[in-house]
Amino acid sequence: MLTAGDAWRALEGVPDPEVPVISVVELGIIRAVVVDDAGAVAVTITPTYSGCPAMFEIEKDVRSALLAAGAAAVTVTTVLSPAWTTDWIPESAREKLRAYGIAPPGKADGGALVTLTRARPPVPCPWCGSAATELRSEFGSTACKAIHVCTSCRQPFDEFKAI
Amino acid sequence: MAESEELGIATGEAQAGGRAVAGASRGPVLGPPLVEYLLRLGDDRLILGHRLSEWCGHGPILEEDIALSNMALDLIGQAASLLRLAGEAEGQGRDEDALAYWRDGVRFRNALLMELPKGDFGFTVVRQFLVSAQSVFLWEALLASTHEGLAGVAAKAIKEAKYHLRHASEWVVRLGDGTPESHDRVQRALDDCWRYTGELFAQDEVDAAVAALGITVDMASIRARWDQVVDDVLQRATLTRPADGPMRHGGRVGRHTEHLGHLLSVMQSVARAHPGATW
C-alpha cells in the first residue's frame, strides 16, 4: 500500500506547470500529505498568488500522479494560511531556477509594510552573472515573476519575485 | 419593506452632496452584516479587477499591458476568496461564481470608484494608487481579524497589494512630474477621482456590527495612514491634493452609477449565455 513517503516522492515528480524546472514540492505549495489506512491520500496545497491560474492544472497533475503511484483515492484541499512565501523554496531549487534562466528570489520583506521605491540592489543576471542589470517591470510573464534586462550580455531575464 | 425598493432609488444627481437619497423609510435592504461586509470587500476587487482586465491587449506599452493584467488577476483571485467566504457566511449554497455572475447590479456592494470606466492610462494609474493605498493598510489591519478566513485572505493579499501600491506610486510620480500633458492628465484624474474616495473609508451600521466583533477595524485609523502616503506621493509627483468637497456614496448599499450595468453586461455575459458550463 502507498505510504506517505511514496506519496511525497510521487509529488516530487510533478513539475510546476509555469516553471517546469522545479517540482510543486520544491515550490513549497504542497503543505501536507496524509495517507489513511485505506490508501486514500489527502493533499493540502496553497496558491502562490491569489489569482494563480495554474492552480487547477496543479490540482489535476497532483491527482493523476498520486493515482498513478497507487493511491486508492485523492482529495486536494486548498488553503490560504499560512500565506505562501518564496522563502520556502530550498537552495537546491534556487540553483535549478538560475540554471534555467530565472533569477531566484531574494529574501521576502517580511514585516516591512510599504516601500514606495524599490531600494534593493540589482538582481544578478542568471546568464552571465553580471550585476549590471536593470529592472524593467515588477510584473512579468506570470504573477510570480518580474522582468529585468542585463546590460552586460544584453539578455532579458525573469526574476522570481520575493513575496 | 419590499426589496424592490432598492431598484427605485435614483443614482446621479440625487446623491450629489452626499445627502441621504431617500426618506428613512425607504432605505435599502441589506443582508446580515458579515455577508454584506465580505461582499463589499469582494466586490471592490472583482469590479476593479475587471476594469484592469480591460487593458489586456490595450496597454500603452507591453510591460504595462502585462502589469495591469497581472494586477487584474490578483484582484480577481482575491475577490474569488472573499466571495467564497461571503457565500459560506450566507449559507444558501452560493459559491463565488454564483455571486459574481448571477447577481444583478443592485446586489453589488463595491464602492463607486471601482466601477468608473478605465479612462486613459493616467486615470487608471491614479485610481489604482488611491485604492491600493487603502488596501495595503486595510489588509494589514485585517491580519488580526477575528474571522479566520478573512485573516487568511489578508495575509495573502497584502503581499500582492504592496506590489500594486509601489507600481501605481511610481507611475503617479513619473506622470505627475513628467511632461505638461502627463501632469495635466493625472491632475485631472485625481480631481475626478477625489469625490469618490470618501466611500473607501465610510462606515455604516454594517461596518459597526462587524467591527464590534473584531472582524474589521475603525476605518479612521486606515484613513490617517492613507492620508500620509497620498500626501507623500502627490508631493513628489508635483500634484495638488484636491480639497475634500462633497463625497459620492451609494455603492455599499447597491446604488450604483450607470457604468456598473454596462460592466456587468460584459462580465456576466458568457456565464449567463451558458449556465453551468465547465471547461
Side-chain angles (χ1 to χ4, degrees), chain A residues 12 16 18 70 106 140 153 159:
Chain A
E12 278 162 13
D16 175 72
E18 302 275 12
C153 70
E159 176 211 8

Side-chain angles (χ1 to χ4, degrees), chain A residues 44-101:
Chain A
T44 307
I45 61 177
T46 195
T48 53
Y49 283 75
S50 297
C52 178
M55 286 311 284
F56 297 106
E57 206 59 39
I58 289 170
E59 191 176 324
K60 220 171 63 191
D61 293 348
V62 161
R63 197 179 296 281
S64 52
L66 289 170
L67 289 173
V74 179
T75 53
V76 181
T77 310
T78 302
V79 297
L80 292 183
S81 189
W84 181 81
T85 165
T86 39
D87 289 350
W88 291 345
I89 300 174
E91 195 49 49
S92 56
R94 287 165 191 253
E95 208 37 63
K96 289 184 196 171
L97 287 172
R98 202 186 333 262
Y100 188 64

